[in-house]
Structure formats: structure tokens, C-alpha cells
Amino acid sequence: MRTVNVGIIGLGTVGGGVARLILSHHDDYVASYGIDLAIVRACALEPEAARACGIADEAFTTDWHDVVCDPSVDVVVELIGGEHPATEIYEAAFAAGKHVVTANKALLGRHVEQFASKARENGVQLKCEASCGGGIPIVSTLERDLVGNKILTIAGILNGTTNYILSRMEAEGADYADVLADAQAKGYAEADPSADVDGFDAASKTAILASIGFGTRVTTDDVFQQGIRTIAAEDIAQARELGYTVKLLGIARNTPAGVDARVHPTLIPIDHQLAKVAGAMNAVYVVGDAVGETMFYGAGAGSFPTASAVVGDILTLADPISKGAEPLPEPEPFKQNLPVRPMDELETKYYVRLKVADRVGALAEVVGVFAKNDISISLINQVEDAASDGDACSVIFLTHKAVEKNMQAAAAELAGASCVSEVANVLRIEDVSAWTEGVFEN
Ligand code: HSE
């Protein structure tokens, strides 16, 4: 057995957890797997960050080059996030023949193919279990355990911050702004919440999972993205009354018309497994044509849950290294290049909330706009509540399946209609029964 040398770049919440986990379980890994892990280099801004984790002073550096250029390092663990210098770290590590483990979803969401190819060219691996769903073992599940399937659907609650906000809005009937402010005060949401609430984080994760699950190139730019800022307490209450809950989902579907990849607030039936995922927890629902429905639930963030995923990747690489062999090079990234279906072509049902003038003919005018855009209404509900102000009242419309392009055209037309004072929200209602289309019959 030879010692496997690890170099960690970044000792924040995740990096600190990784160091603590490796150091506290060192003897267990030796006893259980015959793997002796040593943290030989650790890069952070301050030496206290390393000392707090129990890392020896001589391993500490403030310069990432010291980690990547150390000939004894077998595995480089990048946990600083962001595009730079993470990109340079990968390039230098691959060129030096070192494997890379990362949780960097923003970078991989855009460039997973490019980095996987670079790793392959250099005979090493790039592993990213922690990039999606924190501690949930979903990347390796898609890469390995479900490979006998054609993966049909991946639908995930991939962002804990937004699920926490939506769950509290639903439980308390509270407004978005109040819950966000409280979440920020308690440290559950970032001071600048954009990456979470505008859907960037979930879009990166959706791109990575779709790429791996479907074996094709899907980048963050291919993922339609809409966040939760416009969701009002009234929408959540109305959805609930109609039998739905509102979740920010990352949805990727492998359809005959191409890959459908999107992140947006979605109405799903309250009895669906994903509807029951509350608070900051994450869940990934995966349908394979053989396995059918599966769901993976767990902490999507946090020091030790994310460290669990990172250390799992390190041990996977360390297993052959400790026995004197090299892990196989990164496999060829994608053998397919499936088309990505434009969002305009999506066909789904919609929930529309309008503020409409309370006068004769107003509803007829609105229905006329829907009809003109080939959108058929399945339900109209005029809401008698405090939100109704003066001459305007809130009206909820549910539609039959319609085409996204038509709905956007109708929404734009309604926004300019004299009888409509506000198009308060247009939300998609997911047809969850379509998620299992293509599963083999037993
Ligand atoms: N900011 C993310 C979330 C965690 O709220 O889920 C890290 O991906």
C-alpha cells in the first residue's frame, strides 16, 4: 500500500469539511479500504484556516501553484469555485498528470466537455460528484449504476436556498421579500442572492446532470432559466387550492424532439414525491427506461454533506493509486450530440394570474387574447380577496397544453390590453405523467 497524497485548494466551508473528514477517518480508510490518504498541501488565504482543520503548518500555502506543482501530489482538490483561477488550476493539474476533484458547478456547467477532454488527453480524471446535489450521490449514480438505462427524465430540487424560501412562503403564507430578508439575516441566503434566486445555480447543476445522464453536450447556456423573484404568497395559495405546490425545478428530458432543459418555478401535484421535499433539502428524481422512477434525497449543501461527496471522489481515485496502479483516464465525454429543443417549442399547461378591470367585457377580452394565440382555457377563477384593489380584481386562468411561444405572445398582448392592469404571473404546470413516458412495461 502506498500513501495517496492530496492537495486541497480552498479551505472554506467545503474545503474545511473535506480536510476534517479525511483527518478524522484516516485510520478507518486504512482499515476498511487499505487507503492511506495524506493531505500534503493545503492552500488558503490565511494559515488559521488550515490550523483550524488540523492541517500541519508545513502543508500550508497561500499560492495554488505550490499545490499543483508539488510532484508528490496525486489528487488536486479544487474548492474555491468561480472561473479563475479554477480554470488555470485544472489546466496545470492535468498537464502535470494529476487528477482533479471539484465541486465547481458554475465552471463545469459551462465547460464540462472541454475539461473532461483535457483530462482524458493527459490520462487523468476529473471528478465532480459534489457539484450537483451536495451530498446526494447522483453523479456517480448516473455515470455508473444507471448506465444500463436510457435516462428519460431528470427533475431536481437542486437549490436549497430557493426551496427553503418557497417552503416557508407556503407554510407561513408569507411574501417572498420578507422570507428572503429573514433567510439572509439567519445566514440561509447570501447577501447577494442572485445565483440562487435567479436560477443560475440550479441551471449549472441541470446542465451537468443532463450532460452526464443523457451522454450529450448540454451547457448552462442551453438551459432556460427563470428564478423565483416574481412568486407571490397569492400564487402559492392559489396553486395549493388547485392541488399544486410551487417548486423551483431543474428539469431535463430526453425526448424524441431533443433535449428539453429548463429551470423555472413549476406547479407540480402536491402528492408528487418532489412536492414533499421541504426546507433547504435537495432531491433528484430520475426516470430510466428500465428502472422506472427513482428519487435521491439529501442535503444539497453544508460542510460535511458536501465533503462526503468530495471525499467519495478522492477515495475512488485513491483506490487504484494506493495499490500502485493508475485510475483509467477520463472516458470520452460525449458520444452523442443530441439537439437541444428551443424553449419556444415547449408544450405545457400554464397558470396565469392577471389583475383585470372589474367591468363588463373584460374577461371576454382576455379570453379573446388567449383564443387568438391558440391557447385553450381549462379554468377561470376570479379571486375575491384582499389583493383585489378598487376597480381591478385578480383572476386566475389555467390552460390546457399550449405552446410556450404562444403563451409568451399572449402574455405580451395582455400586458398591453386596456382591461389588464398587470400580468402578475405566468407559471408552467408540469405534466408529471409525461416524465415516465418510454419506460419499459413490466
Ligand atoms: N447555494 C446552493 C444552494 C448550495 O442554495 O443550494 C451550493 O450549491
Short mmCIF file of all heavy atoms in Angstrom, two decimals, residues 48-111:
data_model
loop_
_atom_site.label_atom_id
_atom_site.label_comp_id
_atom_site.label_asym_id
_atom_site.label_seq_id
_atom_site.Cartn_x
_atom_site.Cartn_y
_atom_site.Cartn_z
N GLU A 48 -4.63 30.26 9.55
CA GLU A 48 -5.57 29.82 10.59
C GLU A 48 -6.59 28.84 10.01
O GLU A 48 -7.07 27.94 10.71
CB GLU A 48 -6.33 31.01 11.21
CG GLU A 48 -5.50 31.87 12.14
CD GLU A 48 -4.44 32.69 11.40
OE1 GLU A 48 -4.68 33.10 10.24
OE2 GLU A 48 -3.34 32.89 11.97
N ALA A 49 -6.94 29.06 8.73
CA ALA A 49 -7.93 28.16 8.10
C ALA A 49 -7.41 26.74 8.09
O ALA A 49 -8.15 25.77 8.31
CB ALA A 49 -8.22 28.63 6.68
N ALA A 50 -6.11 26.57 7.85
CA ALA A 50 -5.52 25.23 7.82
C ALA A 50 -5.38 24.67 9.23
O ALA A 50 -5.72 23.52 9.50
CB ALA A 50 -4.16 25.29 7.13
N ARG A 51 -4.91 25.52 10.14
CA ARG A 51 -4.73 25.06 11.54
C ARG A 51 -6.06 24.61 12.13
O ARG A 51 -6.13 23.61 12.84
CB ARG A 51 -4.14 26.19 12.39
CG ARG A 51 -2.68 26.37 12.13
CD ARG A 51 -2.03 27.34 13.11
NE ARG A 51 -0.78 27.80 12.51
CZ ARG A 51 -0.46 29.08 12.34
NH1 ARG A 51 -1.25 30.04 12.75
NH2 ARG A 51 0.67 29.38 11.75
N ALA A 52 -7.13 25.37 11.82
CA ALA A 52 -8.44 25.04 12.40
C ALA A 52 -8.91 23.65 11.99
O ALA A 52 -9.70 23.02 12.69
CB ALA A 52 -9.48 26.09 11.95
N CYS A 53 -8.42 23.18 10.83
CA CYS A 53 -8.83 21.83 10.37
C CYS A 53 -7.86 20.76 10.85
O CYS A 53 -8.08 19.59 10.59
CB CYS A 53 -8.85 21.74 8.86
SG CYS A 53 -9.67 23.02 8.01
N GLY A 54 -6.77 21.16 11.46
CA GLY A 54 -5.78 20.17 11.91
C GLY A 54 -4.73 19.86 10.86
O GLY A 54 -4.02 18.84 10.97
N ILE A 55 -4.59 20.73 9.86
CA ILE A 55 -3.58 20.50 8.81
C ILE A 55 -2.23 21.02 9.31
O ILE A 55 -2.15 22.10 9.90
CB ILE A 55 -3.99 21.23 7.50
CG1 ILE A 55 -5.23 20.55 6.92
CG2 ILE A 55 -2.86 21.24 6.49
CD1 ILE A 55 -5.83 21.27 5.75
N ALA A 56 -1.18 20.25 9.06
CA ALA A 56 0.16 20.62 9.52
C ALA A 56 0.60 21.93 8.87
O ALA A 56 0.32 22.16 7.68
CB ALA A 56 1.13 19.50 9.18
N ASP A 57 1.31 22.76 9.64
CA ASP A 57 1.77 24.07 9.13
C ASP A 57 2.59 23.93 7.86
O ASP A 57 2.50 24.75 6.94
CB ASP A 57 2.61 24.78 10.20
CG ASP A 57 1.71 25.50 11.20
OD1 ASP A 57 0.47 25.52 10.99
OD2 ASP A 57 2.24 26.02 12.20
N GLU A 58 3.42 22.87 7.80
CA GLU A 58 4.31 22.74 6.62
C GLU A 58 3.54 22.44 5.33
O GLU A 58 4.06 22.62 4.23
CB GLU A 58 5.43 21.70 6.85
CG GLU A 58 4.97 20.33 7.28
CD GLU A 58 4.85 20.18 8.80
OE1 GLU A 58 4.63 21.21 9.49
OE2 GLU A 58 4.95 19.05 9.28
N ALA A 59 2.30 22.00 5.46
CA ALA A 59 1.49 21.74 4.26
C ALA A 59 0.84 23.02 3.73
O ALA A 59 0.41 23.08 2.58
CB ALA A 59 0.39 20.72 4.58
N PHE A 60 0.80 24.07 4.57
CA PHE A 60 0.04 25.27 4.21
C PHE A 60 0.77 26.14 3.20
O PHE A 60 1.97 26.33 3.25
CB PHE A 60 -0.25 26.10 5.47
CG PHE A 60 -0.95 27.39 5.14
CD1 PHE A 60 -2.30 27.38 4.80
CD2 PHE A 60 -0.26 28.59 5.10
CE1 PHE A 60 -2.94 28.57 4.45
CE2 PHE A 60 -0.89 29.77 4.74
CZ PHE A 60 -2.24 29.75 4.42
N THR A 61 -0.03 26.71 2.28
CA THR A 61 0.50 27.70 1.34
C THR A 61 -0.62 28.66 0.96
O THR A 61 -1.80 28.32 1.08
CB THR A 61 1.04 27.02 0.05
OG1 THR A 61 1.45 28.03 -0.86
CG2 THR A 61 -0.01 26.16 -0.63
N THR A 62 -0.23 29.86 0.52
CA THR A 62 -1.24 30.79 0.01
C THR A 62 -1.25 30.79 -1.53
O THR A 62 -2.03 31.50 -2.14
CB THR A 62 -0.96 32.23 0.49
OG1 THR A 62 0.39 32.55 0.15
CG2 THR A 62 -1.17 32.36 1.99
N ASP A 63 -0.37 29.99 -2.13
CA ASP A 63 -0.22 30.01 -3.59
C ASP A 63 -0.65 28.64 -4.17
O ASP A 63 0.00 27.62 -3.89
CB ASP A 63 1.25 30.30 -3.93
CG ASP A 63 1.49 30.41 -5.43
OD1 ASP A 63 0.56 30.11 -6.21
OD2 ASP A 63 2.62 30.77 -5.81
N TRP A 64 -1.69 28.65 -4.99
CA TRP A 64 -2.19 27.37 -5.52
C TRP A 64 -1.15 26.64 -6.37
O TRP A 64 -1.19 25.41 -6.49
CB TRP A 64 -3.50 27.53 -6.28
CG TRP A 64 -3.47 28.40 -7.53
CD1 TRP A 64 -3.84 29.69 -7.62
CD2 TRP A 64 -3.07 28.00 -8.86
NE1 TRP A 64 -3.69 30.16 -8.91
CE2 TRP A 64 -3.22 29.13 -9.69
CE3 TRP A 64 -2.60 26.82 -9.42
CZ2 TRP A 64 -2.92 29.11 -11.06
CZ3 TRP A 64 -2.30 26.79 -10.78
CH2 TRP A 64 -2.46 27.92 -11.58
N HIS A 65 -0.21 27.40 -6.95
CA HIS A 65 0.84 26.74 -7.77
C HIS A 65 1.62 25.74 -6.93
O HIS A 65 2.06 24.72 -7.43
CB HIS A 65 1.81 27.78 -8.34
CG HIS A 65 1.18 28.71 -9.34
ND1 HIS A 65 0.60 29.90 -8.97
CD2 HIS A 65 1.03 28.61 -10.68
CE1 HIS A 65 0.13 30.51 -10.04
NE2 HIS A 65 0.37 29.74 -11.10
N ASP A 66 1.79 26.06 -5.62
CA ASP A 66 2.55 25.14 -4.75
C ASP A 66 1.87 23.78 -4.66
O ASP A 66 2.54 22.76 -4.48
CB ASP A 66 2.67 25.72 -3.33
CG ASP A 66 3.57 26.95 -3.29
OD1 ASP A 66 4.38 27.11 -4.23
OD2 ASP A 66 3.44 27.73 -2.33
N VAL A 67 0.56 23.78 -4.78
CA VAL A 67 -0.19 22.51 -4.70
C VAL A 67 -0.05 21.75 -6.01
O VAL A 67 0.31 20.57 -6.04
CB VAL A 67 -1.69 22.79 -4.40
CG1 VAL A 67 -2.47 21.48 -4.35
CG2 VAL A 67 -1.84 23.58 -3.11
N VAL A 68 -0.31 22.47 -7.09
CA VAL A 68 -0.35 21.82 -8.41
C VAL A 68 1.05 21.40 -8.87
O VAL A 68 1.20 20.41 -9.59
CB VAL A 68 -1.03 22.78 -9.42
CG1 VAL A 68 -0.98 22.23 -10.82
CG2 VAL A 68 -2.47 23.02 -9.01
N CYS A 69 2.06 22.16 -8.45
CA CYS A 69 3.43 21.85 -8.90
C CYS A 69 4.16 20.89 -7.96
O CYS A 69 5.30 20.51 -8.25
CB CYS A 69 4.25 23.13 -9.04
SG CYS A 69 3.55 24.25 -10.26
N ASP A 70 3.54 20.52 -6.86
CA ASP A 70 4.21 19.59 -5.94
C ASP A 70 4.18 18.20 -6.57
O ASP A 70 3.12 17.61 -6.77
CB ASP A 70 3.45 19.58 -4.61
CG ASP A 70 4.12 18.67 -3.58
OD1 ASP A 70 4.74 17.66 -3.98
OD2 ASP A 70 4.01 18.96 -2.38
N PRO A 71 5.37 17.65 -6.91
CA PRO A 71 5.39 16.36 -7.62
C PRO A 71 4.80 15.21 -6.80
O PRO A 71 4.40 14.20 -7.37
CB PRO A 71 6.87 16.11 -7.92
CG PRO A 71 7.64 17.13 -7.15
CD PRO A 71 6.72 18.21 -6.69
N SER A 72 4.72 15.37 -5.49
CA SER A 72 4.19 14.27 -4.68
C SER A 72 2.66 14.21 -4.69
O SER A 72 2.08 13.20 -4.33
CB SER A 72 4.69 14.38 -3.23
OG SER A 72 3.96 15.36 -2.53
N VAL A 73 2.00 15.31 -5.12
CA VAL A 73 0.53 15.35 -5.07
C VAL A 73 -0.06 14.47 -6.17
O VAL A 73 0.29 14.59 -7.34
CB VAL A 73 0.02 16.81 -5.20
CG1 VAL A 73 -1.48 16.86 -5.46
CG2 VAL A 73 0.37 17.61 -3.95
N ASP A 74 -0.96 13.55 -5.77
CA ASP A 74 -1.64 12.69 -6.74
C ASP A 74 -2.97 13.29 -7.19
O ASP A 74 -3.36 13.17 -8.34
CB ASP A 74 -1.95 11.32 -6.10
CG ASP A 74 -0.70 10.58 -5.67
OD1 ASP A 74 0.08 10.20 -6.57
OD2 ASP A 74 -0.51 10.38 -4.46
N VAL A 75 -3.67 13.87 -6.22
CA VAL A 75 -5.03 14.37 -6.50
C VAL A 75 -5.12 15.82 -6.03
O VAL A 75 -4.84 16.13 -4.86
CB VAL A 75 -6.09 13.52 -5.75
CG1 VAL A 75 -7.50 14.06 -6.02
CG2 VAL A 75 -5.98 12.05 -6.12
N VAL A 76 -5.54 16.71 -6.96
CA VAL A 76 -5.76 18.12 -6.62
C VAL A 76 -7.26 18.32 -6.38
O VAL A 76 -8.09 17.94 -7.21
CB VAL A 76 -5.29 19.05 -7.78
CG1 VAL A 76 -5.70 20.49 -7.52
CG2 VAL A 76 -3.78 18.93 -7.96
N VAL A 77 -7.59 18.90 -5.24
CA VAL A 77 -9.00 19.12 -4.89
C VAL A 77 -9.25 20.62 -4.94
O VAL A 77 -8.72 21.37 -4.12
CB VAL A 77 -9.28 18.55 -3.47
CG1 VAL A 77 -10.75 18.73 -3.13
CG2 VAL A 77 -8.87 17.09 -3.39
N GLU A 78 -10.03 21.04 -5.93
CA GLU A 78 -10.29 22.49 -6.11
C GLU A 78 -11.62 22.82 -5.48
O GLU A 78 -12.67 22.37 -5.94
CB GLU A 78 -10.28 22.82 -7.61
CG GLU A 78 -10.56 24.28 -7.93
CD GLU A 78 -12.05 24.60 -8.06
OE1 GLU A 78 -12.75 23.96 -8.86
OE2 GLU A 78 -12.50 25.49 -7.32
N LEU A 79 -11.59 23.65 -4.43
CA LEU A 79 -12.83 24.01 -3.74
C LEU A 79 -12.92 25.52 -3.51
O LEU A 79 -13.39 25.98 -2.47
CB LEU A 79 -12.92 23.24 -2.41
CG LEU A 79 -13.03 21.72 -2.61
CD1 LEU A 79 -12.87 20.97 -1.31
CD2 LEU A 79 -14.34 21.34 -3.28
N ILE A 80 -12.46 26.28 -4.51
CA ILE A 80 -12.56 27.74 -4.39
C ILE A 80 -13.73 28.27 -5.21
O ILE A 80 -14.20 29.37 -4.99
CB ILE A 80 -11.26 28.46 -4.82
CG1 ILE A 80 -10.79 27.97 -6.19
CG2 ILE A 80 -10.16 28.25 -3.79
CD1 ILE A 80 -9.61 28.75 -6.74
N GLY A 81 -14.21 27.49 -6.18
CA GLY A 81 -15.32 27.94 -7.02
C GLY A 81 -14.89 29.03 -7.98
O GLY A 81 -13.71 29.42 -8.01
N GLY A 82 -15.84 29.53 -8.77
CA GLY A 82 -15.55 30.61 -9.72
C GLY A 82 -14.77 30.11 -10.93
O GLY A 82 -14.36 28.95 -10.99
N GLU A 83 -14.57 31.02 -11.90
CA GLU A 83 -13.95 30.61 -13.16
C GLU A 83 -12.42 30.68 -13.10
O GLU A 83 -11.73 29.81 -13.62
CB GLU A 83 -14.49 31.50 -14.29
CG GLU A 83 -14.15 30.96 -15.64
CD GLU A 83 -15.03 31.53 -16.74
OE1 GLU A 83 -16.05 32.17 -16.42
OE2 GLU A 83 -14.67 31.33 -17.91
N HIS A 84 -11.93 31.74 -12.45
CA HIS A 84 -10.47 31.92 -12.36
C HIS A 84 -10.07 32.10 -10.90
O HIS A 84 -10.77 32.80 -10.18
CB HIS A 84 -10.02 33.14 -13.17
CG HIS A 84 -10.37 33.02 -14.62
ND1 HIS A 84 -9.71 32.17 -15.48
CD2 HIS A 84 -11.35 33.62 -15.34
CE1 HIS A 84 -10.25 32.27 -16.69
NE2 HIS A 84 -11.25 33.13 -16.63
N PRO A 85 -9.04 31.44 -10.43
CA PRO A 85 -8.07 30.65 -11.18
C PRO A 85 -8.43 29.17 -11.32
O PRO A 85 -7.56 28.37 -11.67
CB PRO A 85 -6.80 30.80 -10.36
CG PRO A 85 -7.29 30.85 -8.94
CD PRO A 85 -8.61 31.57 -9.01
N ALA A 86 -9.71 28.80 -11.11
CA ALA A 86 -10.04 27.37 -11.19
C ALA A 86 -9.64 26.79 -12.56
O ALA A 86 -9.07 25.69 -12.65
CB ALA A 86 -11.52 27.15 -10.91
N THR A 87 -9.91 27.56 -13.63
CA THR A 87 -9.57 27.08 -14.97
C THR A 87 -8.07 26.80 -15.08
O THR A 87 -7.65 25.73 -15.57
CB THR A 87 -9.96 28.15 -16.03
OG1 THR A 87 -11.36 28.36 -15.93
CG2 THR A 87 -9.59 27.73 -17.43
N GLU A 88 -7.27 27.74 -14.59
CA GLU A 88 -5.81 27.59 -14.67
C GLU A 88 -5.35 26.43 -13.78
O GLU A 88 -4.39 25.71 -14.12
CB GLU A 88 -5.11 28.89 -14.24
CG GLU A 88 -5.31 30.06 -15.19
CD GLU A 88 -6.71 30.69 -15.17
OE1 GLU A 88 -7.44 30.50 -14.17
OE2 GLU A 88 -7.08 31.35 -16.17
N ILE A 89 -6.02 26.24 -12.67
CA ILE A 89 -5.66 25.13 -11.76
C ILE A 89 -5.89 23.80 -12.47
O ILE A 89 -5.04 22.90 -12.46
CB ILE A 89 -6.49 25.22 -10.46
CG1 ILE A 89 -6.02 26.40 -9.61
CG2 ILE A 89 -6.42 23.91 -9.67
CD1 ILE A 89 -6.92 26.74 -8.43
N TYR A 90 -7.03 23.65 -13.14
CA TYR A 90 -7.31 22.39 -13.85
C TYR A 90 -6.25 22.15 -14.93
O TYR A 90 -5.71 21.06 -15.07
CB TYR A 90 -8.68 22.38 -14.53
CG TYR A 90 -9.88 22.52 -13.62
CD1 TYR A 90 -11.16 22.56 -14.17
CD2 TYR A 90 -9.76 22.61 -12.24
CE1 TYR A 90 -12.28 22.68 -13.36
CE2 TYR A 90 -10.87 22.75 -11.44
CZ TYR A 90 -12.13 22.79 -12.00
OH TYR A 90 -13.22 22.94 -11.21
N GLU A 91 -6.01 23.22 -15.70
CA GLU A 91 -5.08 23.05 -16.83
C GLU A 91 -3.70 22.64 -16.33
O GLU A 91 -3.06 21.72 -16.87
CB GLU A 91 -5.02 24.33 -17.67
CG GLU A 91 -6.27 24.45 -18.53
CD GLU A 91 -6.44 25.79 -19.21
OE1 GLU A 91 -5.64 26.70 -18.96
OE2 GLU A 91 -7.41 25.91 -20.01
N ALA A 92 -3.25 23.31 -15.27
CA ALA A 92 -1.91 23.00 -14.73
C ALA A 92 -1.90 21.59 -14.12
O ALA A 92 -0.93 20.85 -14.28
CB ALA A 92 -1.53 24.05 -13.69
N ALA A 93 -2.96 21.25 -13.42
CA ALA A 93 -3.01 19.93 -12.77
C ALA A 93 -3.01 18.82 -13.83
O ALA A 93 -2.25 17.85 -13.72
CB ALA A 93 -4.25 19.82 -11.89
N PHE A 94 -3.83 18.97 -14.87
CA PHE A 94 -3.88 17.94 -15.92
C PHE A 94 -2.53 17.81 -16.60
O PHE A 94 -2.03 16.71 -16.84
CB PHE A 94 -4.96 18.26 -16.96
CG PHE A 94 -6.37 18.25 -16.42
CD1 PHE A 94 -7.35 19.06 -17.00
CD2 PHE A 94 -6.73 17.44 -15.35
CE1 PHE A 94 -8.65 19.05 -16.52
CE2 PHE A 94 -8.03 17.42 -14.86
CZ PHE A 94 -8.98 18.24 -15.46
N ALA A 95 -1.93 18.98 -16.91
CA ALA A 95 -0.63 18.96 -17.60
C ALA A 95 0.41 18.25 -16.74
O ALA A 95 1.34 17.61 -17.26
CB ALA A 95 -0.18 20.38 -17.92
N ALA A 96 0.26 18.35 -15.42
CA ALA A 96 1.22 17.70 -14.51
C ALA A 96 0.82 16.26 -14.20
O ALA A 96 1.43 15.61 -13.35
CB ALA A 96 1.33 18.51 -13.22
N GLY A 97 -0.24 15.77 -14.87
CA GLY A 97 -0.65 14.37 -14.69
C GLY A 97 -1.36 14.11 -13.37
O GLY A 97 -1.33 13.00 -12.84
N LYS A 98 -2.06 15.14 -12.87
CA LYS A 98 -2.76 14.97 -11.60
C LYS A 98 -4.27 14.94 -11.83
O LYS A 98 -4.80 15.69 -12.65
CB LYS A 98 -2.42 16.12 -10.64
CG LYS A 98 -0.93 16.16 -10.31
CD LYS A 98 -0.62 17.31 -9.38
CE LYS A 98 0.87 17.59 -9.29
NZ LYS A 98 1.73 16.47 -9.01
N HIS A 99 -4.94 14.10 -11.08
CA HIS A 99 -6.39 14.04 -11.13
C HIS A 99 -6.96 15.26 -10.40
O HIS A 99 -6.33 15.79 -9.48
CB HIS A 99 -6.89 12.77 -10.46
CG HIS A 99 -6.22 11.54 -10.99
ND1 HIS A 99 -6.59 10.95 -12.18
CD2 HIS A 99 -5.17 10.82 -10.52
CE1 HIS A 99 -5.80 9.91 -12.41
NE2 HIS A 99 -4.93 9.81 -11.42
N VAL A 100 -8.17 15.67 -10.80
CA VAL A 100 -8.82 16.82 -10.15
C VAL A 100 -10.18 16.39 -9.62
O VAL A 100 -10.96 15.72 -10.32
CB VAL A 100 -8.97 18.00 -11.15
CG1 VAL A 100 -9.83 19.11 -10.53
CG2 VAL A 100 -7.61 18.56 -11.54
N VAL A 101 -10.44 16.80 -8.39
CA VAL A 101 -11.77 16.63 -7.80
C VAL A 101 -12.29 18.03 -7.50
O VAL A 101 -11.56 18.86 -6.96
CB VAL A 101 -11.69 15.81 -6.49
CG1 VAL A 101 -13.05 15.77 -5.79
CG2 VAL A 101 -11.20 14.39 -6.78
N THR A 102 -13.55 18.30 -7.85
CA THR A 102 -14.09 19.65 -7.67
C THR A 102 -15.58 19.62 -7.36
O THR A 102 -16.26 18.63 -7.64
CB THR A 102 -13.83 20.51 -8.92
OG1 THR A 102 -14.33 21.83 -8.68
CG2 THR A 102 -14.52 19.96 -10.15
N ALA A 103 -16.06 20.74 -6.80
CA ALA A 103 -17.50 20.94 -6.59
C ALA A 103 -17.97 22.12 -7.43
O ALA A 103 -19.06 22.64 -7.21
CB ALA A 103 -17.75 21.22 -5.10
N ASN A 104 -17.16 22.54 -8.40
CA ASN A 104 -17.36 23.81 -9.10
C ASN A 104 -18.43 23.70 -10.20
O ASN A 104 -18.12 23.54 -11.38
CB ASN A 104 -16.02 24.24 -9.69
CG ASN A 104 -16.03 25.69 -10.14
OD1 ASN A 104 -17.06 26.20 -10.54
ND2 ASN A 104 -14.88 26.32 -10.09
N LYS A 105 -19.68 23.84 -9.81
CA LYS A 105 -20.78 23.65 -10.78
C LYS A 105 -20.84 24.75 -11.83
O LYS A 105 -21.20 24.50 -12.97
CB LYS A 105 -22.12 23.54 -10.06
CG LYS A 105 -22.57 24.77 -9.30
CD LYS A 105 -22.53 24.56 -7.83
CE LYS A 105 -22.67 25.88 -7.10
NZ LYS A 105 -22.54 25.77 -5.67
N ALA A 106 -20.49 26.00 -11.41
CA ALA A 106 -20.60 27.09 -12.39
C ALA A 106 -19.63 26.86 -13.55
O ALA A 106 -20.00 27.01 -14.73
CB ALA A 106 -20.30 28.42 -11.70
N LEU A 107 -18.42 26.43 -13.23
CA LEU A 107 -17.42 26.20 -14.27
C LEU A 107 -17.74 24.96 -15.10
O LEU A 107 -17.70 24.98 -16.33
CB LEU A 107 -16.04 26.06 -13.61
CG LEU A 107 -14.83 26.10 -14.52
CD1 LEU A 107 -14.86 27.31 -15.44
CD2 LEU A 107 -13.55 26.10 -13.70
N LEU A 108 -18.12 23.88 -14.42
CA LEU A 108 -18.41 22.64 -15.17
C LEU A 108 -19.70 22.76 -15.97
O LEU A 108 -19.84 22.16 -17.03
CB LEU A 108 -18.47 21.45 -14.22
CG LEU A 108 -17.14 21.09 -13.55
CD1 LEU A 108 -17.23 19.75 -12.87
CD2 LEU A 108 -15.99 21.08 -14.55
N GLY A 109 -20.66 23.53 -15.44
CA GLY A 109 -21.92 23.73 -16.19
C GLY A 109 -21.64 24.32 -17.56
O GLY A 109 -22.31 24.04 -18.54
N ARG A 110 -20.61 25.15 -17.65
CA ARG A 110 -20.28 25.78 -18.94
C ARG A 110 -19.28 24.95 -19.75
O ARG A 110 -19.34 24.93 -20.97
CB ARG A 110 -19.68 27.17 -18.71
CG ARG A 110 -20.62 28.11 -18.01
CD ARG A 110 -20.47 29.57 -18.43
NE ARG A 110 -21.53 30.36 -17.82
CZ ARG A 110 -22.74 30.48 -18.33
NH1 ARG A 110 -23.03 29.91 -19.48
NH2 ARG A 110 -23.68 31.17 -17.71
N HIS A 111 -18.33 24.28 -19.03
CA HIS A 111 -17.19 23.72 -19.77
C HIS A 111 -16.89 22.27 -19.45
O HIS A 111 -15.73 21.85 -19.55
CB HIS A 111 -15.93 24.56 -19.47
CG HIS A 111 -16.09 26.02 -19.74
ND1 HIS A 111 -16.36 26.52 -20.99
CD2 HIS A 111 -16.05 27.09 -18.92
CE1 HIS A 111 -16.46 27.85 -20.94
NE2 HIS A 111 -16.28 28.21 -19.68
#
